[in-house]
Amino acid sequence: MIELVSDPIDVSAALTYLHTGEAGAVDLFLGVVRNKTQERSVDRLEYESYDRMAVSEMQKIADQAQEKWPILKYVIVHRKGTLQIGEMAVLIGVATAHRADAFEACRYIIDTIKQTVPIWKKEVFTDGEVWVNAHP
């Protein structure tokens, strides 16, 4: 399941979707808006995306992950629009038989999304704003 949404991300729905009797491990990564970036106070984040390309790129990443690890189910949900401190910007969920595969696949997906998916972030500080790439 891959989604690009404007509304808050539903963690419970993602967990329900990931549930399968074959899975011994479900790994979730939740990216949340924090209140500081390099000692600057953050007021909010604003995400913009090229929707069709973003969903297509996230699907490619999920397909690549499925080739590398025995993934039973996955969820990728990314927010767009204005997010306040504490709100969830991204959810990655992976269900596998064993935990090592779940951890590795989840990390691969989030790291690759930040490198290749056309979603842009503007950090709005209490004393200014800047567009930043999504790379870690």
Side-chain angles (χ1 to χ4, degrees), residues 34-79:
R34 64 178 178 267
N35 66 358
K36 285 197 176 201
T37 296
Q38 299 177 348
E39 302 305 318
R40 291 181 78 183
S41 294
V42 174
D43 180 64
R44 65 185 182 278
L45 299 181
E46 296 175 8
Y47 287 94
E48 291 187 6
S49 61
Y50 176 13
D51 294 2
R52 192 173 70 190
M53 179 69 83
V55 170
S56 174
E57 287 299 313
M58 288 190 285
Q59 184 63 61
K60 285 181 190 175
I61 293 166
D63 292 345
Q64 292 166 355
Q66 287 191 298
E67 290 175 9
K68 295 176 182 277
W69 295 277
I71 295 173
L72 299 167
K73 288 186 171 183
Y74 63 83
V75 174
I76 301 172
V77 184
H78 204 297
R79 286 270 311 264

Side-chain angles (χ1 to χ4, degrees), residues 103-120:
F103 282 131
E104 292 171 13
C106 193
R107 180 164 189 147
Y108 172 81
I109 291 170
I110 186 61
D111 287 350
T112 308
I113 283 173
K114 287 181 160 272
Q115 295 170 1
T116 66
V117 175
I119 297 174
W120 302 278

